[in-house]
Amino acid sequence: MTESATSKLLNGDICHRTSNGKKASKNGFVKDHSLFEQPQKYRRPRDKNQNVPHNSSLYKKPFVESFEETPLWVAVLTYMGYGILTIFGYLRDFLRHWNIEKCHVARERDEQKDFVPLYQDFENFYTRNLYMRIRDNWNRPICSVPGAKVDLVERVTRDYNWTFEHTGKVVKDIINMGSYNYLGFAENTGACADAALEVTKMYGAGVGSTRCEMGNLDIHEEMEQLVARFLGVESAMAFGMGFATNSMNIPALMGKGCLILSDELNHTSLVLGARLSGSTIRVFKHNNMQSLEKLLRDAIVHGQPRTHRPWKKILIVVEGIYSMEGSIVRLPEVIALKKRYKAYLYLDEAHSIGALGPNGRGVVDYFGLDSKDVDIMMGTFTKSFGAAGGYIGGKKELIDYLRRHSHSAMYATSMSPPVAQQIITSMKIIMGEDGTTLGADRLRQLSQNTTYFRRSLHEMGFIIYGNEDSPVVPLMLYMPAKIGAFGREMLKRNIGTVVVGFPATPIIESRARFCVSAAHTREMLDTVNLAISQSVESEKRSGGR
């Protein structure tokens, strides 16, 4: 769920005409978050005794993010497209009701019509009438390592995407621009694969128990010590599932009488964890420090509702890289606010750990900050490390508490030994402890690929979102017909990518999301750029059908 274009223009940042070679949209405006370029008149009024965190002195280098406003005519056409699809959806529902058209979708049984409905009406309507029309763009079976290239199992549908049949043919060498394989460690050869194979022979593939019973192996202890050293914290704890790392540990730390301040674009796992905790949740505008500070002030001044007692704990929850927007958290300002108002900070580095910073240590390393300023450091091993699971790092007292109170720690099965070894080997490569420069080379290659790919798309005139250093690159499509057309046209040109639309994004901000990897070569990226250009031209000629 992403913020609308309107809210983006109201979140305290400026929207100005482009200069210095930057391309503008057709309405001539680009939104720029560079702290060094913002005129004083757009900043929050300064109080003589107030240390305003929105200050360029907190940053060691320019912080530039662009979110181009949706052109008015594009927004109008997009709403019209969804309106037409909705009208035809109701018409087809009418035909299904009278058995003129076959109905494939799950629906309530006639004998249960007086009970509370099992299926949400609009969600079911949207699924059967809009999502099904372009369902072939998702859930494609892969039969290879999700590296720089993948092999796809060919499938066909004879009933308009309700069911699929595999033809038995494999489409080889699809350039993979959808997997979170930022450093290229998703591979079946090399040091990581060899080490995981040896550990599998020694320990087997599964543990069959929880950590607190018979599932605590020496390899788990080694991995957690290495993670703590990598993050620069006192202690760390690993979990077998990244989603559960958030959803099961936030309830262990927060509860009734506590306040959670959550960025509006936070991942579903963070949202679920906050809801399960029973805490009061308040949402601030994405990366907007004025909005966050206002919530902090109100929380300190007014306290809890009705009783006005002080909150037991105030926790700020943010992500390092936001996976749908490609933006990077303004961590120096968040830390400044957190210190000023005596709050706690929960940082989710699922996409940023390994992908940002000169040493690959995430957004803290990227800004040159002290990891001790972040109270709870969370991340996953599923992306840059090519493995599975997640971690939480922080003070030893925090980790010891979670070992006794986290549901994920107490009841979930231990991480698979070969997965743990994959994490250890890849992390040592990133840290340079394998005796080679492979980790540094991959970090540098990822940075170069990100810069090159983003610059190429800008020069081609496409509207892309996010920070200039983010390997997550959203390319805006807007109109609903373009979602399916773009994904299909890219696949025809042997490019695998992810297309995203409503409700995962605002209704007028559908997009294709590219994930850049260190495993991509310059030739691959050039091929992708050419395919994007050809796909758009082909879609224009076909009228968006």
Side-chain angles (χ1 to χ4, degrees), residues 43-345:
R43 290 191 179 176
R44 189 183 179 88
R46 292 175 182 265
D47 185 84
K48 189 161 52 178
N49 299 320
Q50 178 182 1
N51 179 23
V52 179
H54 194 71
N55 194 327
S56 61
S57 63
L58 296 173
Y59 294 80
K60 298 180 181 179
K61 63 178 182 178
F63 183 79
V64 182
E65 291 187 345
S66 62
F67 296 94
E68 191 165 330
E69 180 187 7
T70 305
L72 179 60
W73 67 274
V74 173
V76 171
L77 290 176
T78 301
Y79 281 120
M80 287 178 59
Y82 276 104
I84 292 170
L85 287 171
T86 302
I87 291 171
F88 274 89
Y90 281 113
L91 175 60
R92 298 184 70 180
D93 276 356
F94 175 80
L95 296 177
R96 294 186 187 110
H97 177 73
W98 294 102
N99 296 320
I100 300 174
E101 179 180 331
K102 184 178 179 181
C103 184
H104 300 272
V105 76
R107 56 183 177 180
E108 307 291 346
R109 293 189 298 179
D110 292 337
E111 58 266 29
Q112 292 182 315
K113 61 183 180 180
D114 295 327
F115 291 83
V116 176
L118 179 64
Y119 306 106
Q120 295 294 328
D121 185 56
F122 178 75
E123 291 179 7
N124 206 20
F125 172 85
Y126 186 90
T127 298
R128 66 179 175 263
N129 292 306
L130 282 80
Y131 168 73
M132 280 296 173
R133 299 173 68 93
I134 55 175
R135 183 179 169 222
D136 55 299
N137 282 281
W138 295 281
N139 307 317
R140 292 170 177 151
I142 297 174
C143 56
S144 69
V145 174
K149 292 185 176 182
V150 294
D151 298 337
L152 297 182
V153 177
E154 186 181 66
R155 60 180 184 176
V156 295
T157 178
R158 308 184 192 282
D159 53 6
Y160 305 100
N161 294 336
W162 287 101
T163 61
F164 294 96
E165 298 176 8
H166 296 162
T167 64
K169 179 182 176 182
V170 175
V171 184
K172 293 186 174 296
D173 294 331
I174 303 293
I175 297 178
N176 182 9
M177 297 297 296
S179 297
Y180 308 129
N181 184 28
Y182 297 127
L183 292 181
F185 284 114
E187 51 195 1
N188 55 3
T189 60
C192 291
D194 294 341
L197 179 60
E198 290 301 318
V199 167
T200 305
K201 294 178 180 178
M202 182 182 302
Y203 293 95
V207 178
S209 182
T210 63
R211 290 287 295 277
C212 61
E213 294 174 345
M214 297 292 292
N216 190 28
L217 306 180
D218 56 348
I219 195 172
H220 294 141
E221 300 282 348
E222 179 187 356
M223 175 186 60
E224 291 176 344
Q225 292 172 10
L226 181 63
V227 170
R229 188 153 50 86
F230 179 67
L231 299 175
V233 296
E234 292 180 8
S235 184
M237 184 177 183
F239 304 87
M241 182 181 179
F243 191 98
T245 305
N246 280 329
S247 59
M248 292 291 100
N249 283 292
I250 293 178
L253 297 171
M254 305 294 287
K256 189 176 181 180
C258 298
L259 174 65
I260 295 177
L261 303 180
S262 177
D263 189 291
E264 66 178 341
L265 300 188
N266 277 343
H267 189 261
T268 305
S269 59
L270 293 169
V271 175
L272 178 61
R275 290 174 177 173
L276 291 175
S277 70
S279 304
T280 300
I281 305 169
R282 291 175 184 164
V283 179
F284 60 91
K285 293 179 181 178
H286 174 56
N287 245 355
N288 187 306
M289 297 303 106
Q290 288 81 12
S291 177
L292 174 59
E293 185 176 13
K294 183 180 185 303
L295 291 179
L296 284 166
R297 280 184 174 181
D298 291 345
I300 298 298
V301 173
H302 301 295
Q304 299 184 44
R306 295 189 298 275
T307 64
H308 299 293
R309 293 176 181 173
W311 295 99
K312 295 179 181 178
K313 281 177 282 189
I314 300 177
L315 181 68
I316 303 171
V317 181
V318 294
E319 294 186 47
I321 292 179
Y322 291 83
S323 61
M324 203 58 71
E325 297 288 312
S327 61
I328 298 176
V329 65
R330 293 179 174 180
L331 191 60
E333 299 177 62
V334 175
I335 288 177
L337 285 174
K338 166 242 174 186
K339 289 181 176 179
R340 182 178 180 193
Y341 291 97
K342 304 297 187 293
Y344 295 99
L345 176 58

Side-chain angles (χ1 to χ4, degrees), residues 8 11 13-15 29-33 65-68:
K8 285 176 181 171
N11 69 355
D13 297 308
I14 64 171
C15 195
F29 289 89
V30 164
K31 186 168 161 218
D32 199 333
H33 292 226
E65 291 187 345
S66 62
F67 296 94
E68 191 165 330

